[in-house]
Amino acid sequence: MTRERGPEWGGWWRDDAIGPPHDRSSGARWPLLGLLFLLPIIIPAVRSAAHPNTSVVHAVLGPVLLAAYAGCYLFFPQVVFRRPSIRAKLVFCTGMLALGWVAMLVLHEGSVYVLLYAMAVIAFGLPPGWTLILDGSSLVALLVVVERHVGVDGSPSDVGTLLGITSAMFAVGRLLHTVRSLRAAQDEIATLAVTAERERLARDLHDILGHSLTTITVKAGLARRILESAQDTERASTEIHEVESLARSALSDVRATVSEYREVSLSAELVGARAALRAAEIEADLPHAVDNVLPDLQQTFGYVLREAVTNVLRHSGAKHVKVRLGRTWLDIEDDGAGAPGGVSGNGLRGLTERLDQIGGTLRAEPRAGGGFLVRAEVRPALEAAS
């Protein structure tokens, strides 16, 4: 039973954080932002230290404690998000919490909100079990101190406010943990996919080339021995021709294998266009099948669809895209601005050249009612012949 429940309960006490939740630039900006958050306790502390009724010990000790406490807050991301051990995090967070308690009690009219920074760091950076223990015990102790009026400024409602803010920080911390875990899972899936694809390519190349290269080696060696002995030049010529044929066949197989990385499919481009437009929040009216398009034209139309959708995503500002397919034509129209300045880019010029090679035409022009239209059309062979 204990082993089965270990993974479920281990997350309450283990630190499963996956790397920093932000890039280095945001980490460099944090001290400045954190300093702004600290102003509500720094300003009253400075005023308290300068008050005539404040003793010399409190006037010196208070700012020193507050400076150390603020330093912990300003640089806590270096501890919480840089993957040290859970023990190091516990020591840091517990020390910061203790420092906050001492600073709150030493400061003249110390506010209960001084503890907010330490409790937020704990809720943000520690596993749930440790958060409940440290923050929960602090809230209970703070409520007792407030009820007994032991040298702090605050009320039970302030303690309730601390509870609400800490709970919110705890939820944000759990959300960041989930996001980081998902990102790590995505990276791992991508790595596994690349590894699997490499293994597939290696396996396919081995299967394709293993037999062919072995046969080529044997036949080339036989032809060499025949030529060296000068006994049967006709047979040597036959062997060399077979070697050439095998080499051409192997080369064709390799090209067919590698072309899977570059080959364009109209059906696949439709799927990709639907996903890309959905991600860009552009309403897409796309066909669900490409069976009505001539098979010989589907690859070319796939290139046209890819380029047209790319242009829509880049600079059209469209909100709606409609794609229609015919036996020998493809229309992509949108309600955007089209190419900037009406200039045709390299992509459209490349598509024009590609269609010219198969006797087709490409039109890319503004629509009469607004928007932009890209139409690719190939004349049937019978009409072209007539």
Side-chain angles (χ1 to χ4, degrees):
M1 293 293 293
T2 303
R3 180 172 298 179
E4 291 179 358
R5 296 183 64 181
E8 177 183 353
W9 289 96
W12 278 76
W13 308 103
R14 285 199 312 267
D15 183 22
D16 297 326
I18 314 280
H22 45 60
D23 57 15
R24 293 182 178 179
S25 61
S26 61
R29 292 192 299 266
W30 165 247
L32 179 59
L33 185 61
L35 189 61
L36 295 177
F37 290 152
L38 286 167
L39 289 179
I41 64 171
I42 292 177
I43 295 175
V46 173
R47 290 176 178 174
S48 176
H51 196 277
N53 296 331
T54 304
S55 65
V56 176
V57 174
H58 285 75
V60 175
L61 184 59
V64 170
L65 289 172
L66 189 61
Y69 183 62
C72 292
Y73 181 70
L74 293 177
F75 296 100
F76 85 88
Q78 303 301 323
V79 177
V80 172
F81 297 131
R82 300 303 175 187
R83 301 214 63 181
S85 64
I86 183 61
R87 180 176 300 177
K89 292 185 178 183
L90 277 173
V91 170
F92 175 84
C93 291
T94 305
M96 183 178 177
L97 183 61
L99 198 59
W101 270 96
V102 176
M104 180 184 67
L105 296 174
V106 169
L107 291 174
H108 179 62
E109 296 182 355
S111 171
V112 295
Y113 290 105
V114 171
L115 288 183
L116 173 62
Y117 301 92
M119 296 173 65
V121 169
I122 291 171
F124 213 61
L126 289 184
W130 296 111
T131 299
L132 292 177
I133 289 176
L134 295 177
D135 280 356
S137 61
S138 290
L139 287 170
V140 172
L142 194 58
L143 185 61
V144 173
V145 170
V146 168
E147 288 289 348
R148 294 179 177 272
H149 304 284
V150 185
V152 296
D153 180 22
S155 64
S157 62
D158 292 325
V159 178
T161 302
L162 281 179
L163 173 61
I165 296 175
T166 305
S167 300
M169 291 296 99
F170 176 78
V172 172
R174 292 297 93 193
L175 180 61
L176 286 177
H177 173 271
T178 302
V179 170
R180 296 199 301 272
S181 300
L182 290 174
R183 287 178 178 174
Q186 289 177 343
D187 292 341
E188 184 176 357
I189 290 172
T191 302
L192 291 175
V194 171
T195 302
E197 185 63 13
R198 286 175 177 172
E199 292 177 351
R200 184 201 68 80
L201 179 60
R203 183 175 59 252
D204 290 349
L205 289 177
H206 177 272
D207 294 342
I208 290 171
L209 295 179
H211 176 72
S212 298
L213 292 179
T214 301
T215 306
I216 289 172
T217 302
V218 172
K219 286 185 171 294
L222 177 59
R224 175 182 56 79
R225 290 192 296 272
I226 293 174
L227 289 175
E228 287 176 351
S229 62
Q231 293 179 353
D232 192 348
T233 56
E234 184 177 352
R235 183 184 176 188
S237 177
T238 301
E239 297 293 342
I240 291 175
H241 280 297
E242 291 184 4
V243 166
E244 181 183 5
S245 177
L246 284 170
R248 292 181 182 277
S249 177
L251 180 60
S252 177
D253 291 338
V254 170
R255 285 173 174 169
T257 302
V258 177
S259 65
E260 291 187 12
Y261 297 97
R262 302 188 304 268
E263 193 172 30
V264 174
S265 166
L266 180 58
S267 57
E269 290 300 324
L270 275 176
V271 173
R274 182 174 285 109
L277 293 171
R278 184 188 303 117
E281 299 182 350
I282 298 176
E283 183 180 356
D285 182 6
L286 307 179
H288 296 283
V290 297
D291 299 335
N292 56 329
V293 180
L294 287 177
D296 293 340
L297 301 180
Q298 291 191 11
Q299 183 175 3
T300 302
F301 284 178
Y303 282 108
V304 176
L305 179 62
R306 175 194 290 181
E307 180 64 23
V309 170
T310 300
N311 288 338
V312 169
L313 295 173
R314 282 181 177 174
H315 41 239
S316 74
K319 299 298 182 182
H320 182 271
V321 175
K322 181 168 67 175
V323 176
R324 289 294 178 264
L325 295 169
R327 183 175 174 82
T328 60
W329 56 269
L330 166 67
D331 281 353
I332 306 101
E333 56 183 276
D334 62 76
D335 57 356
V343 178
S344 178
N346 293 328
L348 292 178
R349 284 196 293 270
L351 291 178
T352 301
E353 294 172 0
R354 187 182 294 274
L355 285 163
D356 286 341
Q357 294 175 358
I358 59 174
T361 57
L362 180 75
R363 287 195 296 120
E365 56 191 16
R367 294 190 304 165
F372 202 76
L373 169 67
V374 176
R375 179 179 178 86
E377 186 174 7
V378 179
R379 297 174 58 190
L382 292 178
E383 292 182 12
S386 62

